Amino acid sequence: MVMENIVFLLNNFLRNDEFEIVLFDWVLHERAIIDEVEAGLIPCDRETRRFSLICSEEELLRRMKSDHRSEEDMKRSLARLPLYAHLGTELVDTTGRTPNETAERIRDLILQPR
């Protein structure tokens, strides 16, 4: 049901010509999840870019501790961190960056000619 809802919402944004850019934000650490979402999307002529936000292990632990995450959550997240290098996405290192700085970095990457 979660996947159906996500695909439904994304398709509604993609159908709306008022949006020049559609950003979809979700923790996707496996290629199969990305493929499943993309398989459900309507065909469109928009450029598709895939970004993965990553950070150093130290930064990840610091952030998770400040969010009062459990040891198990932290172990699971640390174990998943290396998986992002194999997704075929553009990696954006957020270490030491604020959310606004990260958003600006993504904007700059989107606006750069490829």
Side-chain angles (χ1 to χ4, degrees):
M1 186 168 89
V2 171
M3 195 65 71
E4 287 177 22
N5 288 338
I6 288 166
V7 169
F8 176 80
L9 287 172
L10 275 172
N11 278 327
N12 282 332
F13 281 107
L14 293 173
R15 283 185 186 99
N16 188 333
D17 292 334
E18 296 296 315
F19 296 113
E20 290 182 38
I21 297 173
V22 176
L23 292 176
F24 169 60
D25 175 29
W26 194 25
V27 177
L28 301 170
H29 63 285
E30 295 177 7
R31 186 68 213 184
I33 300 170
I34 296 170
D35 292 343
E36 186 177 347
V37 169
E38 289 180 342
L41 297 180
I42 59 170
C44 67
D45 61 353
R46 295 176 191 239
E47 176 186 16
T48 302
R49 305 267 302 266
R50 293 162 199 86
F51 299 97
S52 292
L53 305 183
I54 60 166
C55 63
S56 68
E57 289 183 8
E58 296 80 16
E59 180 83 2
L60 181 59
L61 287 174
R62 185 189 65 73
R63 291 175 184 177
M64 293 187 82
K65 284 177 184 175
S66 73
D67 287 344
H68 306 289
R69 299 290 185 90
S70 71
E71 287 294 321
E72 185 59 35
D73 284 345
M74 288 186 258
K75 285 179 189 177
R76 192 171 35 251
S77 293
L78 284 174
R80 289 178 177 167
L81 199 54
L83 300 176
Y84 291 95
H86 305 287
L87 290 179
T89 59
E90 297 178 61
L91 301 179
V92 178
D93 191 347
T94 65
T95 304
R97 288 189 171 145
T98 66
N100 283 342
E101 290 169 335
T102 300
E104 288 172 5
R105 177 69 182 132
I106 294 169
R107 181 203 60 212
D108 293 345
L109 288 169
I110 290 170
L111 297 177
Q112 274 180 1
R114 287 174 56 159

